[in-house]
Amino acid sequence: MFEMIKMMQQVLNEKEFSYWVHQDLFSLQWWLIVVINALFLLLFYFFIDRHSTI
């Protein structure tokens, strides 16, 4: 019984990974998140007060 549950879990994990790779990865929403995060990091880098940090 335990082996059957373990096998079913592995199949489900493979299906979820396949869906993520083929549907979510590099989609428009994915690129939007990457660009927004990069912009925030750049803004943080340029506006941080480097003299007052410890």
Side-chain angles (χ1 to χ4, degrees), residues 4-33:
M4 188 172 144
I5 293 172
K6 194 173 181 180
M7 183 184 66
M8 290 173 65
Q9 184 179 18
Q10 183 178 3
V11 170
L12 180 61
N13 286 340
E14 290 171 0
K15 288 185 181 285
E16 286 178 351
F17 180 75
S18 175
Y19 177 82
W20 178 73
V21 167
H22 296 301
Q23 300 295 323
D24 292 335
L25 186 64
F26 302 123
S27 66
L28 180 62
Q29 291 87 358
W30 187 86
W31 281 111
L32 186 64
I33 291 169

Side-chain angles (χ1 to χ4, degrees), residues 8 10 21 32 34-35 37 40-42 44-46 50:
M8 290 173 65
Q10 183 178 3
V21 167
L32 186 64
V34 169
V35 169
N37 281 318
F40 278 127
L41 284 172
L42 284 172
F44 179 74
Y45 177 75
F46 286 118
R50 292 179 188 89

